[in-house]
Amino acid sequence: FGTLDVRLKALAALHAAGLNAIPVLKEFLADRDPLVRETAADALLAAGGIRAIPVLKEHLALEKDKDVIFSILNGLGKVRNRAGMDILVSYLANPNEDLVVAALNSIAKLRSATVHADVARSLADPRWRVRAAALDAVAALKLNNLDSAVTELLMDKDAFVRFSAVKTLTAISAKKAAPKLEEAFLREDELKGAVVAAYGRMDMALPASFGKAMDGKGPDVVLSVIEALKDCNEKDLKLAERFLDDENPDIACAAVRLIATKGMKNPKHRARIIAGVRSGKREVVLAALESIRIDDRDALMKGLLQATAAGVPAEALTSSMADSTLDALIGAFAAAVSDSGFTPFV
């Protein structure tokens, strides 16, 4: 009785009765309204957990509405049970790709490695969304034994699948795929950032070939690579060095932020950042200021910067400082303020 909204709210609230609600909710699976059936199925899983799975399995054999089936498959991903997993696997060959994707997403949530053969078949599915969902499942389940199949998808005809393959190889730490990842970097601009991130997260040194491959690339590609270098080791920052003086301020500042954050212990990097600050370019100075980290001396640095902004000579600021990095930075900031008319925001 009541409006549809009232009925749906009442059904959803029934889960609080636990196992006692199962017989009542089961009756509503036969309702003519698919929204009622969907709500009843959700409430069944919430109320009964694994006890509700036989009821839903029986119902799925009769259910025709794709939205109701989709909701049940999603719900099965919240209940760890072999029977529920078997239901999900049975949908991996379904002609409706939305249902296959829903099944794969739920399989990934259940963290069971016993389905590797079923997921492997989905990696070869002709539908790109299914292949992408299968890659996500491989990553979530850490199915390392499927690394070869995943590597093959670096050559997939679909761009999103290729991108997902890079991420999945990273997730399963497939270091032996490094040569294929290098080929992907050299071949495809859209994958460059993802490949650099993969090398960093798998703690692999970047190949020398990456440097030349960046020549003449557009801002979007360069920025994606600089962003990905945050995951790499300090020695790989040389890939970003070439962009410190880039004519595009967005690229130059991104490189400054990266190297100022991760590379100040390297004298070469430190000198480049200081040179950038001395250039007096407002955006470069700001990028350095917000990124340089000097251990346990943030308060002192702020005070020194405020004094510099007030016009105190650089010599007076640095004469008592023993730390060469701090000395050099303060000198650079003082020169920037003096030569460029920069107005600090501190």
Side-chain angles (χ1 to χ4, degrees):
F1 299 99
T3 66
L4 177 61
D5 187 57
V6 170
R7 295 177 70 200
L8 295 180
K9 288 181 178 178
L11 282 171
L14 275 175
H15 80 273
L19 297 178
N20 293 326
I22 291 180
V24 177
L25 290 168
K26 181 178 179 180
E27 294 297 319
F28 284 93
L29 291 177
D31 194 274
R32 68 173 64 184
D33 193 314
L35 279 176
V36 172
R37 300 198 300 275
E38 181 179 334
T39 303
D42 290 342
L44 265 168
L45 281 169
I50 60 175
R51 300 287 186 87
I53 291 178
V55 176
L56 292 176
K57 180 179 180 180
E58 180 181 345
H59 177 69
L60 282 170
L62 304 173
E63 181 60 64
K64 303 300 181 184
D65 189 275
K66 299 298 188 294
D67 290 334
V68 177
I69 298 173
F70 185 92
S71 180
I72 293 173
L73 296 179
N74 276 336
L76 289 174
K78 302 174 184 177
V79 183
R80 291 181 63 88
N81 177 264
R82 183 67 249 181
M85 179 67 81
D86 289 342
I87 293 173
L88 293 170
V89 169
S90 72
Y91 275 87
L92 294 185
N94 196 280
N96 186 309
E97 69 177 298
D98 289 334
L99 299 183
V100 181
V101 170
L104 283 166
N105 289 342
S106 286
I107 287 172
K109 295 174 185 176
L110 294 177
R111 297 291 192 269
S112 172
T114 62
V115 294
H116 67 276
D118 304 293
V119 175
R121 282 190 289 273
S122 294
L123 289 174
D125 193 282
R127 297 163 291 189
W128 74 266
R129 289 182 60 226
V130 173
R131 297 195 300 278
L135 284 168
D136 289 342
V138 172
L141 299 173
K142 305 297 182 186
L143 300 178
N144 300 49
N145 56 333
L146 295 181
D147 57 346
S148 296
V150 174
T151 301
E152 289 180 10
L153 291 178
L154 290 174
M155 295 293 292
D156 193 88
K157 62 184 178 181
D158 184 84
F160 186 79
V161 172
R162 297 194 297 272
F163 181 80
S164 297
V166 175
K167 292 197 303 179
T168 300
L169 289 170
T170 306
I172 63 176
S173 195
K175 291 187 177 183
K176 70 179 185 180
K180 293 297 183 181
L181 285 170
E182 181 178 3
E183 290 177 10
F185 181 95
L186 300 177
R187 180 180 64 246
E188 191 167 352
D189 288 349
E190 288 73 16
L191 293 182
K192 283 180 168 51
V195 171
V196 168
Y199 271 83
R201 291 168 188 166
M202 289 191 281
D203 197 26
M204 299 188 300
L206 297 181
S209 61
F210 282 17
K212 185 173 179 56
M214 291 301 297
D215 290 344
K217 297 304 177 183
D220 289 345
V221 176
V222 174
L223 289 171
S224 72
V225 168
I226 293 175
E227 176 67 22
L229 284 168
K230 293 178 180 179
D231 295 317
C232 295
N233 295 322
E234 190 274 337
K235 63 179 178 294
D236 290 321
L237 294 181
K238 59 186 178 182
L239 187 59
E241 286 180 20
R242 63 176 57 216
F243 301 113
L244 285 171
D245 301 317
D246 198 274
E247 294 180 357
N248 185 315
D250 292 334
I251 292 176
C253 288
V256 166
R257 291 188 189 97
L258 174 68
I259 293 180
T261 300
K262 294 183 60 110
M264 291 303 288
K265 287 182 169 52
N266 183 308
K268 182 180 178 182
H269 293 157
R270 186 163 64 242
R272 292 293 302 277
I273 294 300
I274 292 170
V277 173
R278 286 187 181 277
S279 73
K281 294 179 181 178
R282 179 183 176 86
E283 62 272 15
V284 172
V285 174
L286 291 176
L289 281 172
E290 69 184 14
S291 304
I292 292 172
R293 300 181 298 187
I294 299 180
D295 295 343
D296 301 324
R297 303 180 78 171
D298 291 341
L300 178 59
M301 173 63 87
K302 183 176 180 180
L304 290 166
L305 291 173
Q306 288 173 329
T308 303
V312 178
E315 294 76 13
L317 291 172
T318 62
S319 59
S320 62
M321 305 306 302
D323 185 280
S324 60
T325 299
L326 191 58
D327 286 350
L329 289 173
I330 294 305
F333 294 144
V337 171
S338 175
D339 297 340
S340 69
F342 163 62
T343 303
F345 57 83
V346 293

PDB file of all heavy atoms in Angstrom, residues 215-245:
ATOM      1  N   ASP A 215      61.675  15.488 -26.789  1.00  0.00           N
ATOM      2  CA  ASP A 215      61.949  16.668 -27.615  1.00  0.00           C
ATOM      3  C   ASP A 215      60.717  17.060 -28.428  1.00  0.00           C
ATOM      4  O   ASP A 215      60.111  16.221 -29.112  1.00  0.00           O
ATOM      5  CB  ASP A 215      63.112  16.391 -28.572  1.00  0.00           C
ATOM      6  CG  ASP A 215      64.447  16.282 -27.853  1.00  0.00           C
ATOM      7  OD1 ASP A 215      64.514  16.704 -26.691  1.00  0.00           O
ATOM      8  OD2 ASP A 215      65.413  15.775 -28.468  1.00  0.00           O
ATOM      9  N   GLY A 216      60.366  18.343 -28.356  1.00  0.00           N
ATOM     10  CA  GLY A 216      59.285  18.872 -29.178  1.00  0.00           C
ATOM     11  C   GLY A 216      57.891  18.472 -28.760  1.00  0.00           C
ATOM     12  O   GLY A 216      56.938  18.705 -29.513  1.00  0.00           O
ATOM     13  N   LYS A 217      57.721  17.901 -27.592  1.00  0.00           N
ATOM     14  CA  LYS A 217      56.395  17.471 -27.173  1.00  0.00           C
ATOM     15  C   LYS A 217      55.582  18.650 -26.642  1.00  0.00           C
ATOM     16  O   LYS A 217      56.121  19.615 -26.107  1.00  0.00           O
ATOM     17  CB  LYS A 217      56.488  16.381 -26.099  1.00  0.00           C
ATOM     18  CG  LYS A 217      57.166  15.111 -26.586  1.00  0.00           C
ATOM     19  CD  LYS A 217      56.476  14.556 -27.828  1.00  0.00           C
ATOM     20  CE  LYS A 217      57.179  13.320 -28.375  1.00  0.00           C
ATOM     21  NZ  LYS A 217      56.546  12.831 -29.626  1.00  0.00           N
ATOM     22  N   GLY A 218      54.277  18.561 -26.778  1.00  0.00           N
ATOM     23  CA  GLY A 218      53.379  19.630 -26.362  1.00  0.00           C
ATOM     24  C   GLY A 218      53.247  19.733 -24.856  1.00  0.00           C
ATOM     25  O   GLY A 218      53.648  18.828 -24.118  1.00  0.00           O
ATOM     26  N   PRO A 219      52.657  20.818 -24.380  1.00  0.00           N
ATOM     27  CA  PRO A 219      52.529  21.066 -22.942  1.00  0.00           C
ATOM     28  C   PRO A 219      51.817  19.952 -22.173  1.00  0.00           C
ATOM     29  O   PRO A 219      52.249  19.595 -21.073  1.00  0.00           O
ATOM     30  CB  PRO A 219      51.735  22.383 -22.882  1.00  0.00           C
ATOM     31  CG  PRO A 219      52.017  23.055 -24.178  1.00  0.00           C
ATOM     32  CD  PRO A 219      52.146  21.964 -25.185  1.00  0.00           C
ATOM     33  N   ASP A 220      50.746  19.424 -22.728  1.00  0.00           N
ATOM     34  CA  ASP A 220      50.000  18.392 -22.007  1.00  0.00           C
ATOM     35  C   ASP A 220      50.867  17.165 -21.751  1.00  0.00           C
ATOM     36  O   ASP A 220      50.836  16.578 -20.656  1.00  0.00           O
ATOM     37  CB  ASP A 220      48.752  17.990 -22.786  1.00  0.00           C
ATOM     38  CG  ASP A 220      47.688  19.077 -22.779  1.00  0.00           C
ATOM     39  OD1 ASP A 220      47.804  20.002 -21.953  1.00  0.00           O
ATOM     40  OD2 ASP A 220      46.763  19.005 -23.609  1.00  0.00           O
ATOM     41  N   VAL A 221      51.636  16.770 -22.742  1.00  0.00           N
ATOM     42  CA  VAL A 221      52.505  15.601 -22.600  1.00  0.00           C
ATOM     43  C   VAL A 221      53.611  15.882 -21.582  1.00  0.00           C
ATOM     44  O   VAL A 221      53.873  15.078 -20.679  1.00  0.00           O
ATOM     45  CB  VAL A 221      53.121  15.207 -23.956  1.00  0.00           C
ATOM     46  CG1 VAL A 221      54.105  14.053 -23.789  1.00  0.00           C
ATOM     47  CG2 VAL A 221      52.027  14.832 -24.942  1.00  0.00           C
ATOM     48  N   VAL A 222      54.241  17.036 -21.704  1.00  0.00           N
ATOM     49  CA  VAL A 222      55.344  17.385 -20.804  1.00  0.00           C
ATOM     50  C   VAL A 222      54.851  17.469 -19.361  1.00  0.00           C
ATOM     51  O   VAL A 222      55.477  16.931 -18.438  1.00  0.00           O
ATOM     52  CB  VAL A 222      55.995  18.717 -21.222  1.00  0.00           C
ATOM     53  CG1 VAL A 222      57.041  19.143 -20.197  1.00  0.00           C
ATOM     54  CG2 VAL A 222      56.627  18.583 -22.602  1.00  0.00           C
ATOM     55  N   LEU A 223      53.725  18.125 -19.152  1.00  0.00           N
ATOM     56  CA  LEU A 223      53.200  18.270 -17.790  1.00  0.00           C
ATOM     57  C   LEU A 223      52.814  16.926 -17.195  1.00  0.00           C
ATOM     58  O   LEU A 223      52.998  16.708 -15.991  1.00  0.00           O
ATOM     59  CB  LEU A 223      52.003  19.225 -17.797  1.00  0.00           C
ATOM     60  CG  LEU A 223      52.334  20.701 -18.050  1.00  0.00           C
ATOM     61  CD1 LEU A 223      51.061  21.510 -18.242  1.00  0.00           C
ATOM     62  CD2 LEU A 223      53.154  21.277 -16.894  1.00  0.00           C
ATOM     63  N   SER A 224      52.300  16.029 -18.017  1.00  0.00           N
ATOM     64  CA  SER A 224      51.952  14.702 -17.496  1.00  0.00           C
ATOM     65  C   SER A 224      53.197  13.946 -17.052  1.00  0.00           C
ATOM     66  O   SER A 224      53.171  13.222 -16.041  1.00  0.00           O
ATOM     67  CB  SER A 224      51.199  13.891 -18.557  1.00  0.00           C
ATOM     68  OG  SER A 224      52.045  13.470 -19.615  1.00  0.00           O
ATOM     69  N   VAL A 225      54.301  14.118 -17.762  1.00  0.00           N
ATOM     70  CA  VAL A 225      55.555  13.454 -17.396  1.00  0.00           C
ATOM     71  C   VAL A 225      56.139  14.069 -16.129  1.00  0.00           C
ATOM     72  O   VAL A 225      56.591  13.355 -15.226  1.00  0.00           O
ATOM     73  CB  VAL A 225      56.563  13.527 -18.559  1.00  0.00           C
ATOM     74  CG1 VAL A 225      57.954  13.100 -18.098  1.00  0.00           C
ATOM     75  CG2 VAL A 225      56.088  12.644 -19.712  1.00  0.00           C
ATOM     76  N   ILE A 226      56.133  15.393 -16.042  1.00  0.00           N
ATOM     77  CA  ILE A 226      56.656  16.052 -14.838  1.00  0.00           C
ATOM     78  C   ILE A 226      55.845  15.629 -13.613  1.00  0.00           C
ATOM     79  O   ILE A 226      56.403  15.346 -12.547  1.00  0.00           O
ATOM     80  CB  ILE A 226      56.634  17.582 -15.011  1.00  0.00           C
ATOM     81  CG1 ILE A 226      57.639  18.002 -16.084  1.00  0.00           C
ATOM     82  CG2 ILE A 226      56.964  18.276 -13.684  1.00  0.00           C
ATOM     83  CD1 ILE A 226      57.611  19.487 -16.416  1.00  0.00           C
ATOM     84  N   GLU A 227      54.534  15.574 -13.763  1.00  0.00           N
ATOM     85  CA  GLU A 227      53.682  15.133 -12.655  1.00  0.00           C
ATOM     86  C   GLU A 227      54.028  13.705 -12.245  1.00  0.00           C
ATOM     87  O   GLU A 227      54.112  13.381 -11.052  1.00  0.00           O
ATOM     88  CB  GLU A 227      52.216  15.215 -13.076  1.00  0.00           C
ATOM     89  CG  GLU A 227      51.220  14.700 -12.052  1.00  0.00           C
ATOM     90  CD  GLU A 227      51.136  15.542 -10.789  1.00  0.00           C
ATOM     91  OE1 GLU A 227      51.519  16.736 -10.862  1.00  0.00           O
ATOM     92  OE2 GLU A 227      50.706  15.008  -9.751  1.00  0.00           O
ATOM     93  N   ALA A 228      54.265  12.847 -13.222  1.00  0.00           N
ATOM     94  CA  ALA A 228      54.568  11.446 -12.934  1.00  0.00           C
ATOM     95  C   ALA A 228      55.924  11.282 -12.262  1.00  0.00           C
ATOM     96  O   ALA A 228      56.150  10.324 -11.521  1.00  0.00           O
ATOM     97  CB  ALA A 228      54.525  10.630 -14.223  1.00  0.00           C
ATOM     98  N   LEU A 229      56.837  12.202 -12.499  1.00  0.00           N
ATOM     99  CA  LEU A 229      58.174  12.112 -11.904  1.00  0.00           C
ATOM    100  C   LEU A 229      58.140  12.243 -10.384  1.00  0.00           C
ATOM    101  O   LEU A 229      59.128  11.949  -9.710  1.00  0.00           O
ATOM    102  CB  LEU A 229      59.093  13.176 -12.504  1.00  0.00           C
ATOM    103  CG  LEU A 229      59.611  12.867 -13.913  1.00  0.00           C
ATOM    104  CD1 LEU A 229      60.264  14.101 -14.525  1.00  0.00           C
ATOM    105  CD2 LEU A 229      60.611  11.710 -13.880  1.00  0.00           C
ATOM    106  N   LYS A 230      57.035  12.674  -9.824  1.00  0.00           N
ATOM    107  CA  LYS A 230      56.904  12.730  -8.365  1.00  0.00           C
ATOM    108  C   LYS A 230      57.043  11.354  -7.743  1.00  0.00           C
ATOM    109  O   LYS A 230      57.392  11.230  -6.569  1.00  0.00           O
ATOM    110  CB  LYS A 230      55.552  13.339  -7.980  1.00  0.00           C
ATOM    111  CG  LYS A 230      55.400  14.806  -8.342  1.00  0.00           C
ATOM    112  CD  LYS A 230      54.019  15.326  -7.973  1.00  0.00           C
ATOM    113  CE  LYS A 230      53.870  16.796  -8.341  1.00  0.00           C
ATOM    114  NZ  LYS A 230      52.515  17.316  -8.018  1.00  0.00           N
ATOM    115  N   ASP A 231      56.760  10.319  -8.522  1.00  0.00           N
ATOM    116  CA  ASP A 231      56.864   8.946  -8.024  1.00  0.00           C
ATOM    117  C   ASP A 231      58.246   8.344  -8.251  1.00  0.00           C
ATOM    118  O   ASP A 231      58.483   7.197  -7.856  1.00  0.00           O
ATOM    119  CB  ASP A 231      55.820   8.058  -8.710  1.00  0.00           C
ATOM    120  CG  ASP A 231      54.396   8.455  -8.362  1.00  0.00           C
ATOM    121  OD1 ASP A 231      54.142   8.734  -7.178  1.00  0.00           O
ATOM    122  OD2 ASP A 231      53.555   8.499  -9.267  1.00  0.00           O
ATOM    123  N   CYS A 232      59.138   9.085  -8.895  1.00  0.00           N
ATOM    124  CA  CYS A 232      60.438   8.531  -9.265  1.00  0.00           C
ATOM    125  C   CYS A 232      61.522   8.900  -8.257  1.00  0.00           C
ATOM    126  O   CYS A 232      61.328   9.753  -7.384  1.00  0.00           O
ATOM    127  CB  CYS A 232      60.832   9.011 -10.661  1.00  0.00           C
ATOM    128  SG  CYS A 232      59.746   8.398 -11.973  1.00  0.00           S
ATOM    129  N   ASN A 233      62.665   8.269  -8.415  1.00  0.00           N
ATOM    130  CA  ASN A 233      63.809   8.563  -7.550  1.00  0.00           C
ATOM    131  C   ASN A 233      64.471   9.871  -7.956  1.00  0.00           C
ATOM    132  O   ASN A 233      64.296  10.362  -9.077  1.00  0.00           O
ATOM    133  CB  ASN A 233      64.835   7.421  -7.632  1.00  0.00           C
ATOM    134  CG  ASN A 233      64.285   6.121  -7.090  1.00  0.00           C
ATOM    135  OD1 ASN A 233      63.559   6.117  -6.096  1.00  0.00           O
ATOM    136  ND2 ASN A 233      64.609   5.021  -7.737  1.00  0.00           N
ATOM    137  N   GLU A 234      65.270  10.410  -7.046  1.00  0.00           N
ATOM    138  CA  GLU A 234      65.937  11.687  -7.288  1.00  0.00           C
ATOM    139  C   GLU A 234      66.806  11.639  -8.533  1.00  0.00           C
ATOM    140  O   GLU A 234      66.883  12.624  -9.286  1.00  0.00           O
ATOM    141  CB  GLU A 234      66.766  12.079  -6.053  1.00  0.00           C
ATOM    142  CG  GLU A 234      67.330  13.492  -6.079  1.00  0.00           C
ATOM    143  CD  GLU A 234      68.660  13.579  -6.809  1.00  0.00           C
ATOM    144  OE1 GLU A 234      69.360  12.536  -6.903  1.00  0.00           O
ATOM    145  OE2 GLU A 234      68.988  14.680  -7.289  1.00  0.00           O
ATOM    146  N   LYS A 235      67.417  10.512  -8.796  1.00  0.00           N
ATOM    147  CA  LYS A 235      68.321  10.419  -9.958  1.00  0.00           C
ATOM    148  C   LYS A 235      67.584  10.553 -11.278  1.00  0.00           C
ATOM    149  O   LYS A 235      68.192  10.869 -12.303  1.00  0.00           O
ATOM    150  CB  LYS A 235      69.096   9.101  -9.923  1.00  0.00           C
ATOM    151  CG  LYS A 235      68.252   7.849 -10.024  1.00  0.00           C
ATOM    152  CD  LYS A 235      69.125   6.612 -10.014  1.00  0.00           C
ATOM    153  CE  LYS A 235      68.312   5.325 -10.058  1.00  0.00           C
ATOM    154  NZ  LYS A 235      67.509   5.119  -8.835  1.00  0.00           N
ATOM    155  N   ASP A 236      66.274  10.339 -11.267  1.00  0.00           N
ATOM    156  CA  ASP A 236      65.501  10.450 -12.501  1.00  0.00           C
ATOM    157  C   ASP A 236      65.008  11.867 -12.765  1.00  0.00           C
ATOM    158  O   ASP A 236      64.372  12.116 -13.797  1.00  0.00           O
ATOM    159  CB  ASP A 236      64.295   9.505 -12.444  1.00  0.00           C
ATOM    160  CG  ASP A 236      64.716   8.037 -12.522  1.00  0.00           C
ATOM    161  OD1 ASP A 236      65.645   7.748 -13.300  1.00  0.00           O
ATOM    162  OD2 ASP A 236      64.129   7.206 -11.818  1.00  0.00           O
ATOM    163  N   LEU A 237      65.335  12.797 -11.857  1.00  0.00           N
ATOM    164  CA  LEU A 237      64.888  14.175 -12.057  1.00  0.00           C
ATOM    165  C   LEU A 237      65.559  14.841 -13.252  1.00  0.00           C
ATOM    166  O   LEU A 237      65.116  15.893 -13.704  1.00  0.00           O
ATOM    167  CB  LEU A 237      65.166  15.003 -10.793  1.00  0.00           C
ATOM    168  CG  LEU A 237      64.361  14.616  -9.544  1.00  0.00           C
ATOM    169  CD1 LEU A 237      64.726  15.544  -8.394  1.00  0.00           C
ATOM    170  CD2 LEU A 237      62.864  14.663  -9.813  1.00  0.00           C
ATOM    171  N   LYS A 238      66.617  14.225 -13.763  1.00  0.00           N
ATOM    172  CA  LYS A 238      67.288  14.812 -14.925  1.00  0.00           C
ATOM    173  C   LYS A 238      66.336  14.925 -16.111  1.00  0.00           C
ATOM    174  O   LYS A 238      66.537  15.760 -16.998  1.00  0.00           O
ATOM    175  CB  LYS A 238      68.514  13.992 -15.303  1.00  0.00           C
ATOM    176  CG  LYS A 238      68.224  12.539 -15.653  1.00  0.00           C
ATOM    177  CD  LYS A 238      69.518  11.763 -15.884  1.00  0.00           C
ATOM    178  CE  LYS A 238      69.229  10.299 -16.195  1.00  0.00           C
ATOM    179  NZ  LYS A 238      70.491   9.528 -16.380  1.00  0.00           N
ATOM    180  N   LEU A 239      65.294  14.098 -16.141  1.00  0.00           N
ATOM    181  CA  LEU A 239      64.323  14.197 -17.221  1.00  0.00           C
ATOM    182  C   LEU A 239      63.553  15.517 -17.140  1.00  0.00           C
ATOM    183  O   LEU A 239      63.096  16.033 -18.153  1.00  0.00           O
ATOM    184  CB  LEU A 239      63.339  13.018 -17.160  1.00  0.00           C
ATOM    185  CG  LEU A 239      62.346  12.885 -18.319  1.00  0.00           C
ATOM    186  CD1 LEU A 239      63.076  12.748 -19.657  1.00  0.00           C
ATOM    187  CD2 LEU A 239      61.416  11.693 -18.098  1.00  0.00           C
ATOM    188  N   ALA A 240      63.441  16.055 -15.929  1.00  0.00           N
ATOM    189  CA  ALA A 240      62.722  17.326 -15.756  1.00  0.00           C
ATOM    190  C   ALA A 240      63.632  18.537 -15.896  1.00  0.00           C
ATOM    191  O   ALA A 240      63.155  19.653 -16.117  1.00  0.00           O
ATOM    192  CB  ALA A 240      62.039  17.351 -14.391  1.00  0.00           C
ATOM    193  N   GLU A 241      64.965  18.341 -15.764  1.00  0.00           N
ATOM    194  CA  GLU A 241      65.896  19.474 -15.801  1.00  0.00           C
ATOM    195  C   GLU A 241      65.763  20.278 -17.090  1.00  0.00           C
ATOM    196  O   GLU A 241      65.846  21.509 -17.075  1.00  0.00           O
ATOM    197  CB  GLU A 241      67.335  18.973 -15.665  1.00  0.00           C
ATOM    198  CG  GLU A 241      67.721  18.531 -14.275  1.00  0.00           C
ATOM    199  CD  GLU A 241      69.159  18.060 -14.235  1.00  0.00           C
ATOM    200  OE1 GLU A 241      69.932  18.429 -15.144  1.00  0.00           O
ATOM    201  OE2 GLU A 241      69.505  17.314 -13.311  1.00  0.00           O
ATOM    202  N   ARG A 242      65.540  19.600 -18.192  1.00  0.00           N
ATOM    203  CA  ARG A 242      65.489  20.280 -19.489  1.00  0.00           C
ATOM    204  C   ARG A 242      64.338  21.277 -19.575  1.00  0.00           C
ATOM    205  O   ARG A 242      64.312  22.124 -20.465  1.00  0.00           O
ATOM    206  CB  ARG A 242      65.355  19.253 -20.608  1.00  0.00           C
ATOM    207  CG  ARG A 242      64.055  18.445 -20.534  1.00  0.00           C
ATOM    208  CD  ARG A 242      63.892  17.489 -21.705  1.00  0.00           C
ATOM    209  NE  ARG A 242      64.999  16.568 -21.804  1.00  0.00           N
ATOM    210  CZ  ARG A 242      65.490  16.144 -22.974  1.00  0.00           C
ATOM    211  NH1 ARG A 242      64.965  16.577 -24.106  1.00  0.00           N
ATOM    212  NH2 ARG A 242      66.486  15.295 -23.005  1.00  0.00           N
ATOM    213  N   PHE A 243      63.395  21.165 -18.659  1.00  0.00           N
ATOM    214  CA  PHE A 243      62.214  22.031 -18.722  1.00  0.00           C
ATOM    215  C   PHE A 243      62.260  23.188 -17.731  1.00  0.00           C
ATOM    216  O   PHE A 243      61.321  23.975 -17.662  1.00  0.00           O
ATOM    217  CB  PHE A 243      60.954  21.190 -18.483  1.00  0.00           C
ATOM    218  CG  PHE A 243      60.777  20.086 -19.473  1.00  0.00           C
ATOM    219  CD1 PHE A 243      60.876  18.758 -19.085  1.00  0.00           C
ATOM    220  CD2 PHE A 243      60.531  20.371 -20.812  1.00  0.00           C
ATOM    221  CE1 PHE A 243      60.729  17.728 -19.999  1.00  0.00           C
ATOM    222  CE2 PHE A 243      60.373  19.353 -21.743  1.00  0.00           C
ATOM    223  CZ  PHE A 243      60.474  18.023 -21.341  1.00  0.00           C
ATOM    224  N   LEU A 244      63.354  23.315 -16.972  1.00  0.00           N
ATOM    225  CA  LEU A 244      63.432  24.387 -15.983  1.00  0.00           C
ATOM    226  C   LEU A 244      63.392  25.775 -16.626  1.00  0.00           C
ATOM    227  O   LEU A 244      62.891  26.730 -16.026  1.00  0.00           O
ATOM    228  CB  LEU A 244      64.712  24.237 -15.146  1.00  0.00           C
ATOM    229  CG  LEU A 244      64.693  23.115 -14.104  1.00  0.00           C
ATOM    230  CD1 LEU A 244      66.083  22.934 -13.517  1.00  0.00           C
ATOM    231  CD2 LEU A 244      63.676  23.403 -13.017  1.00  0.00           C
ATOM    232  N   ASP A 245      63.929  25.892 -17.820  1.00  0.00           N
ATOM    233  CA  ASP A 245      63.956  27.190 -18.506  1.00  0.00           C
ATOM    234  C   ASP A 245      63.004  27.222 -19.701  1.00  0.00           C
ATOM    235  O   ASP A 245      63.180  28.019 -20.619  1.00  0.00           O
ATOM    236  CB  ASP A 245      65.383  27.488 -18.980  1.00  0.00           C
ATOM    237  CG  ASP A 245      66.378  27.523 -17.832  1.00  0.00           C
ATOM    238  OD1 ASP A 245      66.045  28.105 -16.784  1.00  0.00           O
ATOM    239  OD2 ASP A 245      67.479  26.953 -17.981  1.00  0.00           O
TER     240      ASP A 245
END
